[in-house]
Amino acid sequence: MSHPTDPSLTFVSYISGLVLAASVYLGDQPDPMTGMKAVNLTSAGHAIDVLTMLEEKTRGNLSDDERRLLEGALYELRLKYVEASRKGPSRIVSP
């Protein structure tokens, strides 16, 4: 089954979407649906795990810019995850 390719869907846009989702789960960005900031460590960990899997599975096949984006995003998200987990379980950050 063949589907037309969406030219706006690139590896970078896909990674950026996962990074944004992780940022929402870490309470850094408001949820686009509710406008609230909340921490959901389970979902944040899952998003980080997916990004880690993509890093492993695409190793050697990315451009330098793609590799730097992915490595940098994972580094930042992992630090923020550790910081958020030290503050306790999932919680509402702001109304």
Side-chain angles (χ1 to χ4, degrees):
M1 175 188 266
S2 178
H3 296 284
T5 303
D6 180 352
S8 67
L9 181 61
T10 64
F11 186 76
V12 169
S13 67
Y14 184 68
I15 295 303
S16 296
L18 289 172
V19 170
L20 177 60
S23 294
V24 168
Y25 298 139
L26 289 169
D28 288 342
Q29 300 287 326
D31 184 310
M33 300 299 285
T34 66
M36 296 178 65
K37 288 185 177 182
V39 175
N40 182 329
L41 293 176
T42 301
S43 294
H46 178 72
I48 293 168
D49 288 346
V50 169
L51 287 163
T52 300
M53 177 193 63
L54 287 170
E55 179 187 42
E56 292 169 2
K57 295 292 185 179
T58 60
R59 189 168 288 132
N61 292 312
L62 300 178
S63 70
D64 288 342
D65 288 342
E66 291 168 334
R67 182 185 49 76
R68 280 192 294 271
L69 170 70
L70 189 51
E71 288 174 356
L74 276 168
Y75 176 80
E76 292 295 322
L77 290 171
R78 287 171 178 149
L79 287 178
K80 290 178 181 183
Y81 181 89
V82 169
E83 182 181 313
S85 66
R86 288 183 179 154
K87 293 179 181 177
S90 298
R91 65 202 177 281
I92 300 294
V93 177
S94 70

